Amino acid sequence: MHKKALQLRYMKDVFGRVLSLHTFGFEAHPDYFREAAAAVRPGPGDTLLHAAVVGPGQGPSVRLNLNGGEGLGDSIVRNRGGQGIDVPAVRLSEILSSSGIDRSDDVVILRMNIEGAELYVLEDLEEAGLLGRIDGYYGYWDDPLKIGGEVAARFQAIMS
């Protein structure tokens, strides 16, 4: 969500006028989570979690590398020499499975900007049999390709 949860608030404002929404927002940095949760003003259909979203074999906590100012560039994937903090970690597949989302009736749109960890979330959804259940993907994920090497190859394979 980052600090202001702008995209989550936008989706609630636009689609919440005509649809019954259940939104999920995640923010790994504790300070930014508090700011984002206050900005969202969560209602009954909102689930906001202070956690990094991870893939199979990761968690229940991970190291958040504080790579940039104001949270920009923070990552569980890359460390650019900054400090780090341990944060709670969750798997999106477990959150979705326990949320009561109806796999046949509900429309599920996934928007991520998690600095290269998108691959881990996609692998988690694939392992849980939920990857094909996502109706739409929203966002621009270039970080796995910027990381290169094995991460980029795994990302390209799962996207194909």
Side-chain angles (χ1 to χ4, degrees):
M1 293 186 298
H2 199 241
K3 291 180 177 187
K4 297 180 182 174
L6 293 175
Q7 302 240 344
L8 182 62
R9 289 176 29 216
Y10 176 77
M11 292 206 44
K12 285 176 49 127
D13 289 347
V14 171
F15 297 111
R17 295 177 189 170
V18 293
L19 299 171
S20 174
L21 295 180
H22 189 140
T23 62
F24 298 88
F26 303 89
E27 174 54 52
H29 194 290
D31 295 339
Y32 304 156
F33 173 77
R34 283 189 290 277
E35 289 182 53
V40 170
R41 296 180 306 280
D46 301 314
T47 301
L48 306 179
L49 295 170
H50 164 232
V53 186
V54 298
Q58 296 176 301
S61 66
V62 292
R63 187 81 171 162
L64 178 64
N65 300 298
L66 307 176
N67 293 323
E70 300 297 306
L72 302 174
D74 291 355
S75 176
I76 65 170
V77 177
R78 291 196 282 184
N79 185 349
R80 297 184 187 121
Q83 297 178 335
I85 56 174
D86 291 328
V87 298
V90 297
R91 289 179 63 173
L92 183 59
S93 64
E94 293 173 0
I95 300 296
L96 292 177
S97 294
S98 67
S99 70
I101 289 177
D102 184 323
R103 297 173 94 182
S104 61
D105 290 337
D106 292 330
V107 175
V108 179
I109 299 173
L110 179 62
R111 192 268 184 213
M112 292 188 286
N113 181 6
I114 50 178
E115 312 304 333
E118 292 88 351
L119 169 66
Y120 303 141
V121 175
L122 295 175
E123 289 175 336
D124 169 47
L125 294 172
E126 181 178 50
E127 182 180 280
L130 296 173
L131 190 60
R133 179 55 193 99
I134 306 299
D135 298 294
Y137 294 91
Y138 169 59
Y140 184 72
W141 310 335
D142 64 346
D143 288 317
L145 299 176
K146 287 179 185 174
I147 293 168
E150 182 215 356
V151 170
R154 286 172 35 210
F155 179 73
Q156 288 178 320
I158 202 165
M159 291 306 288
S160 65

